[in-house]
């Protein structure tokens, strides 16, 4: 994977740069998987995750977000990937997913998983594919 970030944007894993109120607004009001998520839960999720912020270089405004839950040895879960509605269609989601993959590559993880209802083509561009044997997988708790 190689991050192909459009000009004028940057990605950072610095948690101090995150606009937590904006992230909560995006996810709790507009992301089908996190609708109604309380701010306290979002802050807790951020605190326990590896976070990626996508920013406009000129203004420093946050335009996207993703987080990863990982042991940094064998497994990672990519989740809460979000691009601001007015910034979509520029390849930012693909670039953000690629940056996550690039960041995780040195760990030599056995697998990185994600779940999506509507962005399969975005993730396929950076190497994600459907599970070969979904019958092997189970879940505790369902939404």
């Amino acid at each position: 994977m190689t991050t192909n970030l459009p000009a004028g944007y940057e990605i950072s894993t610095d948690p101090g740069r995150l606009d937590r109120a904006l992230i909560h607004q995006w996810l709790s009001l507009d992301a089908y998987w996190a609708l109604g998520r309380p701010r306290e839960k979002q802050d807790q999720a951020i605190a326990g995750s590896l976070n990626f912020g996508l920013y406009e270089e000129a203004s420093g405004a946050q335009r996207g977000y993703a987080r990863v839950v990982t042991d940094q040895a064998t497994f990672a879960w990519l989740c809460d990937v979000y691009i601001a509605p007015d910034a979509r269609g520029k390849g930012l989601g693909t670039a953000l997913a690629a940056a996550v993959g690039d960041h995780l590559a040195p760990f030599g993880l056995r697998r990185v998983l994600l779940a999506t209802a509507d962005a399969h083509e975005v993730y396929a561009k950076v190497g994600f594919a459907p599970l070969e044997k979904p019958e092997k997988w189970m879940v505790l708790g369902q939404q």
Side-chain angles (χ1 to χ4, degrees):
M1 272 178 262
T2 302
T3 304
N4 190 13
L5 193 60
Y9 294 92
E10 62 183 337
I11 294 172
S12 173
T13 58
D14 178 358
R17 290 188 67 185
L18 296 172
D19 184 336
R20 293 167 187 253
L22 180 60
I23 293 167
H24 176 254
Q25 177 184 338
W26 284 341
L27 297 178
S28 68
L29 298 177
D30 191 41
Y32 68 86
W33 65 90
L35 292 175
R37 182 182 290 167
R39 172 68 191 267
E40 303 78 40
K41 276 286 187 199
Q42 185 60 51
D43 287 344
Q44 188 178 17
I46 289 170
S49 300
L50 172 60
N51 300 278
F52 293 78
L54 185 143
Y55 306 91
E56 291 179 353
E57 287 180 334
S59 68
Q62 189 166 350
R63 308 305 290 143
Y65 174 73
R67 69 183 182 91
V68 176
V69 180
T70 182
D71 60 11
Q72 298 184 359
T74 63
F75 178 82
W77 176 264
L78 172 59
C79 52
D80 287 348
V81 180
Y82 189 91
I83 301 297
D86 63 343
R88 294 177 186 164
K90 300 176 183 179
L92 296 174
T94 300
L96 185 54
V100 168
D102 290 346
H103 187 91
L104 296 175
F107 299 131
L109 304 175
R110 183 169 178 179
R111 65 180 49 93
V112 178
L113 294 178
L114 65 85
T116 184
D118 59 0
H120 295 79
E121 70 285 346
V122 170
Y123 300 108
K125 290 176 187 176
V126 296
F128 283 91
L131 291 172
E132 279 187 33
K133 297 183 179 181
E135 67 276 6
K136 291 174 63 176
W137 293 87
M138 298 179 74
V139 64
L140 177 63
Q142 302 242 357
Q143 274 275 343

